Amino acid sequence: NAGVTQTPKFQVLKTGQSMTLQCAQDMNHEYMSWYRQDPGMGLRLIHYSVGAGITDQGEVPNGYNVSRSTTEDFPLRLLSAAPSQTSVYFCASGRERNTIYFGEGSWLTVV
Amino acid sequence: AQSVSQHNHHVILSEAASLELGCNYSYGGTVNLFWYVQYPGQHLQLLLKYFSGDPLVKGIKGFEAEFIKSKFSFNLRKPSVQWSDTAEYFCAVTKGSSNTGKLIFGQGTTLQVKP
């Protein structure tokens, strides 16, 4: 992989619990984003950042928060987990008009 | 609604058969186009990308794609598939030159290659 690290790889949460998915990249990329992957729906953009201190909502932002205090890190917070948030989450990073690199994914189950 | 459509959801081929996976998008204006592959249990890897220039794009592992602007299409092709090409394939689009990070994905096509 090209330097996008996600943790944890697997997590089981109870409904109502909160947690943070961590994402870090060491390529000095300005763009970072979070996607969720669900069967038959491809990947959908949750939140997006064009640089430290700047974030924006994607297609499915409800129930998730993000912040970008440094260029390297872009954590995704689930405020109060719901079964509908059971999914595989991918963090990605890249530069303007260049390849977007994906992390290895985080499998989240909410029971 | 603006979207990216992959018409083939599940494709089964024998080794050495030719492959063409369809991708259409419904955005006007400038777009950047991508094909990603996801092998079982792995992350997405870029196969090829189109930003501008020659509409016939060659990627890794013998894949190519042709951008046909008039048809809003970016179909993926490979002349002869191998068993190792079994994977899920995603077409994706970004709108304009300043939205590189905001990929909009199609639903994906699962390719199964029989040995």
Side-chain angles (χ1 to χ4, degrees):
Chain A
N1 197 20
V4 180
T5 303
Q6 289 182 233
T7 56
K9 194 170 179 70
F10 300 98
Q11 182 73 49
V12 179
L13 283 180
K14 293 182 179 178
T15 298
Q17 285 185 318
S18 62
M19 76 157 299
T20 299
L21 298 176
Q22 301 290 347
C23 177
Q25 53 92 6
D26 58 3
M27 298 171 282
N28 201 32
H29 287 163
E30 62 262 34
Y31 295 98
M32 294 188 75
S33 46
W34 277 101
Y35 297 83
R36 58 177 289 174
Q37 183 179 20
D38 302 292
M41 302 187 75
L43 282 80
R44 292 179 292 169
L45 182 65
I46 305 171
H47 283 289
Y48 171 79
S49 171
V50 300
I54 306 169
T55 63
D56 196 3
Q57 293 182 349
E59 181 184 355
V60 288
N62 292 341
Y64 307 95
N65 269 359
V66 291
S67 59
R68 183 104 179 263
S69 56
T70 66
T71 300
E72 296 78 20
D73 300 300
F74 191 46
L76 178 71
R77 298 180 187 85
L78 281 70
L79 308 173
S80 177
S84 60
Q85 294 179 301
T86 294
S87 189
V88 184
Y89 292 85
F90 288 96
C91 180
S93 74
R95 285 204 183 95
E96 176 80 21
R97 293 178 62 80
N98 214 317
T99 300
I100 303 295
Y101 295 94
F102 284 83
E104 295 191 343
S106 296
W107 275 254
L108 176 66
T109 301
V110 182
V111 297
Chain B
Q2 297 179 323
S3 67
V4 178
S5 296
Q6 294 180 238
H7 310 296
N8 317 101
H9 297 295
H10 197 165
V11 174
I12 302 173
L13 295 173
S14 298
E15 275 194 316
S18 64
L19 171 71
E20 181 160 3
L21 301 182
C23 174
N24 286 90
Y25 64 93
S26 60
Y27 304 102
T30 302
V31 292
N32 309 298
L33 299 152
F34 307 81
W35 275 97
Y36 282 86
V37 62
Q38 185 179 33
Y39 299 104
Q42 295 190 24
H43 62 91
L44 279 77
Q45 301 174 38
L46 182 69
L47 279 177
L48 46 81
K49 61 189 177 188
Y50 173 81
F51 287 118
S52 62
D54 188 344
L56 184 60
V57 180
K58 294 193 183 298
I60 62 172
K61 302 177 188 276
F63 287 92
E64 65 178 31
E66 185 176 12
F67 171 49
I68 303 179
K69 189 174 182 179
S70 61
K71 294 185 178 180
F72 296 87
S73 71
F74 190 56
N75 292 354
L76 180 71
R77 301 194 291 250
K78 186 171 184 177
S80 176
V81 295
Q82 301 172 331
W83 177 79
S84 58
D85 292 324
T86 295
E88 190 159 17
Y89 292 80
F90 293 96
C91 179
V93 170
T94 61
K95 297 184 287 183
S97 61
S98 62
N99 290 297
T100 303
K102 295 175 71 172
L103 288 160
I104 303 162
F105 285 87
Q107 306 94 316
T109 297
T110 301
L111 172 65
Q112 182 181 355
V113 180
K114 294 185 174 180

